[in-house]
Each structure stands twice: as C-alpha cells, then as structure tokens.
Amino acid sequence: AQSVTQLDSQVPVFEEAPVELRCNYSSSVSVYLFWYVQYPNQGLQLLLKYLSGSTLVKGINGFEAEFNKSQTSFHLRKPSVHISDTAEYFCAVSDLTGGYQKVTFGTGTKLQVIP
Amino acid sequence: DVKVTQSSRYLVKRTGEKVFLECVQDMDHENMFWYRQDPGLGLRLIYFSYDVKMKEKGDIPEGYSVSREKKERFSLILESASTNQTSMYLCASSSFTREPDTQYFGPGTRLTVL
C-alpha cells in the first residue's frame, strides 16, 4: 500500500522569503509524484509532476520539487514567495495497484504568506 | 483546457434526504473520481470509474453510490444523507493515455447536512 506524509499542516512565511514544503511517501513499486495547489474556494490544480527522468522538476508559478528516491521524498520549494502563493498544497503519489493506477493524497500543507 | 464542472458550489440538505451531486467533464476522459475533503484528512477517494457503467469502490464508499451512464458525466448519490457527510466534495477526471495520472478537478461542492 502506498502512503503520503506531509508533516507540516501549516507553514507561515514572510513575503519574498524562501519556502520548502515537505513530502515523504512510501510505496513498494515505482511511483509517479505530484504536487497540487488549492486556492481558497477552488478545486485542486496541478503544480508539477515527476514521472521519470531528471529528479528536479519545475512547475508553474516558480515552484520546483526534487525527487529523492533514497529518502523517499518529494519536497516542494520556491526561492521567493508572493502573497498570491497563499493556498493549500497537496502532495500525491500514484502507482499501479491491483491493475489500475491509484492516486493517494497527503493531508495538505497550508502556506500562509505574511506581508 | 480541460473543464470539470460540478452542479452546485454550495448545498444544504436535511438528514435523511437523497442527495445527487453531478459532475461533467468535457475532455473525453476515461477516468472519473469522487473525493471528499475534510480538514486534516486531505482527500479521500469515495468511488471511481474507468468506463461507462463501470464503478469501483474507493477507500470510503460507505453511505454513497455512483452512476456513470455517459462518458462525460459521473454522479455521486447519498441515499440518505447524514450529518457526518457534511464535507467538501471534489470531482476529478483523467485520461489513460494523454497525461498519465494527472487529475483535473472541479471547483468542489460544499455540502452541509442539517
């Protein structure tokens, strides 16, 4: 069975400061990894994804994430945050379970950017 | 752009009522999903479907059923709503072939059961 752990439920950070949102996963097979963002009163939208290849993945809005297989991590980073980055961020893992792809989401991290 | 729409943004129902939540996608996606989102619990999969008239239970199917009569439409049904089903419900869709496992979400329906 696969699982995703987002240890930080809330992360406050000052505007223009760097931020890292942590994500660890467990799975017995090869996985795809995702970060989704949810702005207030909206559905989730894809921020970035790792399927294969380069372990450093760049996404929209200046975010990037690094896949670390040995540490089973997929942390999300941004060098300088903006007020508009205030949102909830979900890490997700997908693998082939029982013959079909199953996506498991973490519990989410609320990023609060302080002016 | 993929568009996933949900019939209502906000819904208030009484305990025992039958509730229908509708979801429509316009990108000819094979896969459709229903999740519920609760604070501190993230997204939990209720049901999903990989084809018309096909459905599979997710992690928390109790108290729910689904219907997929057409490829673009996936309905979630609460046969007899209860207060513990008060939640945000998110529909999503994806394609087997075009973008593996990338799910596209609707805006959500916030359901309150009184």
Side-chain angles (χ1 to χ4, degrees):
Chain A
Q2 59 191 16
S3 67
V4 178
T5 302
Q6 292 181 250
L7 285 172
D8 305 307
S9 59
Q10 293 191 54
V11 172
V13 62
F14 286 104
E15 194 174 14
E16 297 184 4
V19 69
E20 177 179 86
L21 305 183
R22 297 180 292 167
C23 173
N24 288 89
Y25 71 92
S26 68
S27 176
S28 57
V29 297
S30 297
V31 296
Y32 299 152
L33 293 158
F34 305 80
W35 277 99
Y36 284 84
V37 59
Q38 185 179 33
Y39 297 105
N41 299 315
Q42 295 185 27
L44 278 69
Q45 64 182 79
L46 182 68
L47 202 55
L48 50 79
K49 61 185 174 184
Y50 171 79
L51 303 180
S52 65
S54 173
T55 57
L56 184 63
V57 181
K58 294 190 184 296
I60 60 172
N61 301 336
F63 283 93
E64 63 181 32
E66 185 154 19
F67 170 56
N68 188 319
K69 189 174 182 179
S70 62
Q71 296 188 6
T72 60
S73 68
F74 191 55
H75 300 332
L76 181 70
R77 301 185 184 101
K78 186 170 182 178
S80 176
V81 295
H82 190 267
I83 291 288
S84 60
D85 294 323
T86 295
E88 190 160 18
Y89 293 80
F90 292 91
C91 183
V93 61
S94 167
D95 68 18
L96 193 64
T97 303
Y100 57 86
Q101 294 283 354
K102 180 181 178 183
V103 181
T104 301
F105 289 85
T107 52
T109 298
K110 287 187 178 176
L111 175 63
Q112 183 186 5
V113 181
I114 304 163
Chain B
D1 267 1
V2 176
K3 201 161 190 182
V4 180
T5 56
Q6 295 183 228
S7 50
S8 305
R9 292 300 303 272
Y10 300 93
L11 210 51
V12 179
K13 296 292 181 181
R14 296 206 175 274
T15 302
E17 279 192 79
K18 190 169 186 176
V19 182
F20 293 86
L21 303 182
E22 305 285 338
C23 175
V24 177
Q25 51 93 4
D26 67 358
M27 280 300 290
D28 201 35
H29 282 173
E30 300 88 359
N31 314 318
M32 296 189 75
F33 308 83
W34 275 107
Y35 295 91
R36 64 177 281 176
Q37 181 182 9
D38 299 288
L41 297 178
L43 277 71
R44 293 180 290 167
L45 181 64
I46 305 172
Y47 267 97
F48 60 96
S49 169
Y50 286 112
D51 202 353
V52 175
K53 295 193 185 293
M54 176 272 181
K55 59 185 178 183
E56 290 285 344
K57 292 180 180 179
D59 299 319
I60 52 163
E62 297 78 19
Y64 304 95
S65 62
V66 290
S67 171
R68 194 167 181 198
E69 297 295 319
K70 293 185 178 182
K71 190 175 185 179
E72 67 271 17
R73 188 180 296 270
F74 192 36
S75 302
L76 180 69
I77 303 155
L78 287 65
E79 295 289 342
S80 178
S82 63
T83 54
N84 62 13
Q85 293 178 309
T86 291
S87 186
M88 171 72 92
Y89 290 87
L90 293 168
C91 175
S93 71
S94 71
S95 169
F96 268 131
T97 54
R98 276 168 279 168
E99 286 182 278
D101 299 297
T102 299
Q103 298 195 0
Y104 291 86
F105 285 82
T109 296
R110 189 168 292 281
L111 172 67
T112 302
V113 182
L114 302 175

